[in-house]
Amino acid sequence: MDLDLQSVRIVRAIAEHGSISKAARALGYSQPAVSQHLRRAEQRLGLPLVMRAGRGVRLTEPGMVLARHAQTIGSAMDAASGELAELVGLRTGTVRVAAFPTASSTIVPRLLGTLRSAHPGLTVSYVEAEPPEALAMLRDGAIDLAITFAYPGDRADPHRESEGPVETVPLFTEPVVIALPETHPHATAGTPVELARLGDERWIAGCPLCRGHLLAACEAVGVDPDIELETDNAVAVLHLVATQLGVALLPRLALATATVPAGAVIRATSPSSDRSIQVVALQGARRVPAIATVLAAVESLDGDDWGLSPQ
């Protein structure tokens, strides 16, 4: 088949942006130039790559096949470009990173500051996303690295879907603690709070993954949690607890930049409840010097002052 890289890039851009005009803007070309290139590619291949759909276009089956392979082709091209960049001392390069919300005010600023100081020519873009969305973006080629968390034994762990062509690098173990009103009978206990003794409490749940962990942790000790409120805003959770509207499990990282308000206290739990923090990349991504540099910087971060321990 008479296939060229430019056709692959154009089809991939149409798949990502949904129209020829948007694909053209993303690639920095005019719409007529992209349309003309598509027509020539279809003539060479003897196959239609796009077809009209209302006022726009959609990929045909051959077009979808090409778009599916475009990620692998693009990764190979990035690797080749990266190796060439290494020859000129990593003066340029772009890495796209996603991470979960509580990492946005802790891990990410420290990472970006370290990279800005050590590699000023390196561009790192950042988007906030919970682990399921971040891993989906990684699989789709929208980002290069996903900083995620996972709860041990979680039946809904999104990392299971990413088994295969990915590399998962363990970073930290993060304790999960419980927030109680200061008037709670267990608030002044000198020992960890037993979840089994909280069967009559009203609970405040967090994001879907954290809610699933709450249900699993309570189920393990025979408690059916009464969840009345839900928010993934840690500051909001602390103030709801301080107002005696419920109790909540919170990851330690959520407390790193939040002030515990008067009326709320933080205690360890029994059994202990930890989650893991890791960075995930596509298999072979380390061959790209810019990505390898960011991975190395992530792995070298110290999380002691956030209450994290290295894995």
Side-chain angles (χ1 to χ4, degrees):
M1 304 293 285
D2 189 6
L3 188 60
D4 64 285
L5 288 174
Q6 187 67 350
S7 298
V8 173
R9 292 183 66 224
I10 288 173
V11 171
R12 175 65 184 275
I14 293 172
E16 288 181 347
H17 299 283
S19 72
I20 292 177
S21 58
K22 291 180 181 178
R25 283 197 297 270
L27 294 171
Y29 299 129
S30 66
Q31 179 175 339
V34 170
S35 298
Q36 186 178 28
H37 187 98
L38 271 175
R39 286 195 297 270
R40 289 200 301 264
E42 290 175 331
Q43 290 171 359
R44 292 197 309 272
L45 296 172
L47 292 167
L49 298 176
V50 297
M51 63 184 299
R52 288 287 175 187
R55 295 184 177 181
V57 298
R58 66 177 179 84
L59 295 181
T60 61
E61 185 175 3
M64 288 187 287
V65 168
L66 194 56
R68 188 171 67 247
H69 287 282
Q71 180 176 334
T72 302
I73 296 170
S75 296
M77 291 298 294
D78 287 345
S81 297
E83 290 181 19
L84 294 174
E86 190 173 33
L87 296 176
V88 294
L90 198 65
R91 288 194 294 268
T92 61
T94 300
V95 180
R96 302 160 298 172
V97 178
F100 53 96
T102 52
S104 290
S105 56
T106 51
I107 294 173
V108 173
R110 185 168 295 178
L111 171 65
L112 298 186
T114 298
L115 290 167
R116 178 68 59 84
S117 175
H119 303 283
L122 189 64
T123 300
V124 181
S125 64
Y126 174 64
V127 60
E128 185 177 281
E130 294 286 1
E133 292 74 27
L135 291 170
M137 294 168 69
L138 182 68
R139 289 192 298 270
D140 292 342
I143 60 172
D144 302 300
L145 298 174
I147 300 173
T148 65
F149 65 81
Y151 291 100
D154 183 4
R155 291 188 291 268
D157 185 356
H159 296 80
R160 294 176 181 174
E161 298 179 12
S162 295
E163 291 179 356
V166 297
E167 177 188 2
T168 301
V169 181
L171 298 175
F172 304 109
T173 296
E174 178 184 16
V176 176
V177 295
I178 189 164
L180 301 169
E182 64 179 6
T183 55
H184 194 281
H186 299 301
T188 57
T191 57
V193 177
E194 296 181 26
L195 293 179
R197 301 178 66 180
L198 301 178
D200 296 328
E201 300 295 334
R202 294 171 297 180
W203 287 85
I204 304 164
C207 73
L209 286 180
C210 297
R211 187 181 194 278
H213 172 66
L214 167 62
L215 293 172
C218 288
E219 180 184 358
V221 295
V223 169
D224 182 16
D226 177 15
I227 299 175
E228 290 193 353
L229 303 169
E230 296 186 45
T231 174
D232 59 1
N233 184 323
V235 174
V237 169
L238 289 169
H239 282 273
L240 291 170
V241 170
T243 316
Q244 303 183 34
L245 294 174
V247 301
L249 292 179
L250 281 173
R252 174 60 68 177
L253 205 57
L255 303 173
T257 57
T259 301
V260 179
V265 296
I266 304 299
R267 293 288 181 267
T269 64
S270 177
S272 62
S273 184
D274 298 337
R275 70 182 188 180
S276 63
I277 297 176
Q278 49 274 315
V279 58
V280 186
L282 292 177
Q283 198 70 253
R286 284 186 188 271
R287 294 166 52 203
V288 180
I291 296 177
T293 298
V294 177
L295 272 172
V298 175
E299 292 177 83
S300 67
L301 291 177
D302 185 351
D304 287 349
D305 56 329
W306 299 321
L308 309 181
S309 56
Q311 284 198 49

